[in-house]
Amino acid sequence: MTLLRRLVGAERWSYEALCLHFARAARETAAKKANPRIAHVAVSQRTYTRWLAGDLKGLPSREACLVLEYLFTEHVTTAEELFQAPVDEPVSSGCLERPVGPNVLIGGVLPPAGVDPALVPHWQGMLQVLSAAHNALGSAQIHQSAVREMPVIRGFRERASGGLAVSLRSVEARWAEFASWTADTMGDPQRAAFWLDQALVLAQYADDPALASYVLMRQAQGAVERGDAAAALSLAGRAWQSAGGSAHDRALCAVRQAEAYALAGDGRGSRRAAAEAVRLVGQAEQIGAADDAGVIDLAGPDRRGHDRTGWRTR
């Protein structure tokens, strides 16, 4: 038995629980080391099994070792110690407690078919980390990270039930929209459209009209860029109808309507929608709803402006 297996066993951490603690430790280590790459280190089911079995030819990656050292800092100084036989001394349960949310089951066993509700804020936090790291790491790497995570989210969502399943579907929709945005910034409109379609279906099934409206707004933007006036008008109108009470979100929809009307040659409709967008931006500034209202381009299309204050950073 390795020290790692003893420590995990003492805490009675399931794979899900370890992933939650590891992900939080990865984010904190990344901040401490000023290295955003560390925040993206994750533990697969296969890796989890191999770690506990001690089935390793060498140590994990340097980044993974740094996270493990941080997570088990009370017991080891180097990650290598975790994969060696433990010293014969008892390990008390609860000594590794590092809460990641109010619903995390610390020191308990999750049912085999159970899904931890703390996965919802966990993946929301991961999405914020990826969004923040976009400029440092580039679209391609961030897109790959998002796409690799999607099957994991879907797997837990399919095992969940009730309100938790709905919440996970909404989270999955946001990840799909993020994957679409990163594909867009990579210059891959076909892949971006695929993930945006997935995001819309997921948002609708999750009964998340605000997110569905945001996705429709992005689809309307794509239609404008393709020069498809009919599709742009239809999508922008649907986005406006399903938009919630957020002045900022409604302003984005109004911008897309203005662009669609202009593309269709309806100058009056375009001016009317643009005026509404201006009014809503002013309202958003007054109530502090927009992080930076200036990113909403009221003079013409802004390919990525809306993304800087979009769902990924909320």
Side-chain angles (χ1 to χ4, degrees), residues 269-288:
S270 180
R271 289 190 295 273
R272 184 173 62 249
E276 179 66 7
V278 170
R279 184 188 71 80
L280 288 166
V281 168
Q283 182 179 334
E285 288 180 315
Q286 289 178 0
I287 64 177

Side-chain angles (χ1 to χ4, degrees), residues 156-177:
F156 283 110
R157 186 257 298 168
E158 290 174 347
R159 289 169 53 194
S161 60
L164 179 56
V166 174
S167 295
L168 285 170
R169 193 184 297 275
S170 185
V171 167
E172 188 180 353
R174 283 165 169 76
W175 275 78
E177 191 278 327

Side-chain angles (χ1 to χ4, degrees), residues 172-197:
E172 188 180 353
R174 283 165 169 76
W175 275 78
E177 191 278 327
F178 180 75
S180 168
W181 175 71
T182 53
D184 197 15
T185 59
M186 289 164 54
D188 190 339
Q190 188 172 7
R191 187 174 299 178
F194 168 80
W195 283 112
L196 207 54
D197 288 342

Side-chain angles (χ1 to χ4, degrees), residues 205-229:
Y205 271 100
D207 194 21
D208 192 338
L211 179 57
S213 173
Y214 183 79
V215 173
L216 286 166
M217 180 275 298
R218 281 200 55 206
Q219 289 182 328
Q221 183 181 25
V224 168
E225 292 172 354
R226 295 192 308 271
D228 189 341

